[in-house]
């Protein structure tokens, strides 16, 4: 009897450990805001790796697939200053959208942009990542950025 209880408690402990990434995760809206803030802060600092970590592998910019190595190059060299004024997402299942005015200041290869885009749509999708190597957890990644007159780099 004692061995059975120990086995059941051990199995429950393992299930809780592997489910902890989802069970104890903050609300989706908080995870989305954190993801966006980290990407914007890393871009401003010229650190492409944290930005690329927040972008989905199917990320598109202005309706076209975006080359990750080119994104990294622009971030490293230009250190874009991006300010998303409204960061409250509309979450629908495993997708979310932020529509906001965005201020952008960047100088890349002699081409400078200092403007405010009135309506930028940032799309997110919930994906499964891992923490502690084994524990699955939700991750919100940016799948698309769309707006009229996006700068082309």
């Amino acid at each position: 009897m004692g061995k059975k209880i120990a086995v059941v408690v051990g199995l429950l402990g393992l299930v809780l450990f592997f489910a902890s990434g989802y069970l104890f995760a903050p609300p989706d809206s908080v995870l989305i805001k954190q993801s966006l803030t980290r990407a914007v802060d890393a871009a401003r600092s010229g650190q492409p790796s944290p930005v690329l970590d927040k972008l989905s592998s199917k990320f598109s910019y202005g309706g076209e697939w975006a080359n990750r190595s080119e994104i990294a190059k622009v971030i490293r060299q230009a250190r874009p200053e991006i300010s998303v004024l409204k960061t409250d997402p509309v979450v629908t299942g495993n997708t979310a959208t932020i529509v906001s005015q965005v201020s952008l200041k960047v100088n890349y290869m002699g081409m400078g942009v200092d403007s405010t885009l009135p309506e930028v749509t940032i799309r997110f999708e919930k994906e499964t990542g891992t923490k502690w190597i084994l524990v699955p957890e939700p991750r919100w990644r940016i799948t698309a950025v769309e707006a009229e007159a996006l700068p082309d780099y």
Side-chain angles (χ1 to χ4, degrees):
M1 180 81 169
K3 284 185 179 181
K4 288 183 182 179
I5 291 175
V7 168
V8 168
V9 168
L11 287 175
L12 283 174
L14 278 174
V15 168
L16 278 175
F17 174 73
F18 284 109
S20 67
Y22 276 90
L23 290 175
F24 304 114
D28 287 336
S29 61
V30 171
L31 291 173
I32 292 165
K33 287 180 185 182
Q34 287 174 345
S35 184
L36 181 61
T37 299
R38 288 184 182 134
V40 167
D41 291 346
R44 186 175 290 128
S45 300
Q47 301 172 358
S49 292
V51 175
L52 295 175
D53 183 53
K54 303 302 177 199
L55 299 181
S56 174
S57 59
K58 53 189 168 189
F59 175 72
S60 67
Y61 178 79
E64 295 183 24
W65 178 79
N67 182 317
R68 295 174 75 80
S69 62
E70 189 62 31
I71 293 169
K73 183 178 173 183
V74 170
I75 291 168
R76 200 176 303 107
Q77 293 178 2
R79 298 176 183 242
E81 292 181 33
I82 304 164
S83 296
V84 180
L85 302 182
K86 180 185 169 213
T87 60
D88 294 324
V90 174
V91 180
T92 308
N94 288 334
T95 61
T97 304
I98 292 175
V99 179
S100 174
Q101 185 177 25
V102 174
S103 296
L104 175 64
K105 185 185 280 188
V106 62
N107 188 353
Y108 182 64
M109 295 177 52
M111 190 167 60
V113 174
D114 187 357
S115 65
T116 299
L117 303 170
E119 190 173 292
V120 176
T121 302
I122 306 168
R123 300 189 190 286
F124 295 82
E125 193 169 296
K126 186 189 272 188
E127 299 177 357
T128 299
T130 57
K131 66 178 181 180
W132 306 319
I133 301 173
L134 299 171
V135 178
E137 70 174 354
R139 298 221 174 128
W140 285 90
R141 291 202 166 97
I142 301 169
T143 58
V145 174
E146 302 161 350
E148 294 288 324
L150 279 172
D152 187 27
Y153 292 107

